[in-house]
Amino acid sequence: MASKNNVSLASLDQKLAMAKRCSREGVVAGAKAAVAATIATAIPTVASVRMLPWARANLNPTAQALIVSTAAGMAYFIVADKTVLATARRNSFNGGASVSSNINA
């Protein structure tokens, strides 16, 4: 009975380590995507406010910040979600064989 408990605890520890690694990869990938989306939306937004009379009249700084932050937030959550799902899928096909070597990484 004790060996069954040890095996199940070890299995749970492996699953927890795999889940932490999947979520960390998702956070890193999402942050990179958010930075790219911020740059990709901030430059045209600021340029349009400076050059176009309509944008100058209708897009105050709050609206500009909302445009940029919405794009960054969407990019973060979409990429993080896809990364976590892809990592979990990859680990489920591998059977978690590589988890024990990456626990301390």
Side-chain angles (χ1 to χ4, degrees):
M1 185 76 156
S3 65
K4 185 178 179 182
N5 264 350
N6 288 341
V7 170
S8 64
L9 288 177
S11 174
L12 286 175
D13 286 343
Q14 263 190 337
K15 288 179 182 180
L16 180 63
M18 188 182 327
K20 284 182 180 180
R21 189 168 49 93
C22 287
S23 63
R24 179 162 175 76
E25 286 180 21
V27 167
V28 170
K32 288 178 182 178
V35 168
T38 299
I39 293 168
T41 56
I43 293 171
T45 302
V46 171
S48 66
V49 167
R50 290 180 183 254
M51 294 179 194
L52 300 173
W54 178 88
R56 183 177 298 153
N58 293 311
L59 295 178
N60 62 9
T62 303
Q64 295 172 39
L66 184 62
I67 291 168
V68 173
S69 64
T70 301
M74 287 190 315
Y76 174 83
F77 285 111
I78 290 169
V79 172
D81 183 51
K82 285 187 174 195
T83 303
V84 168
L85 291 176
T87 306
R89 190 177 302 117
R90 186 176 63 238
N91 288 335
S92 70
F93 289 144
N94 291 342
S98 63
V99 172
S100 60
S101 63
N102 291 331
I103 289 177
N104 294 328

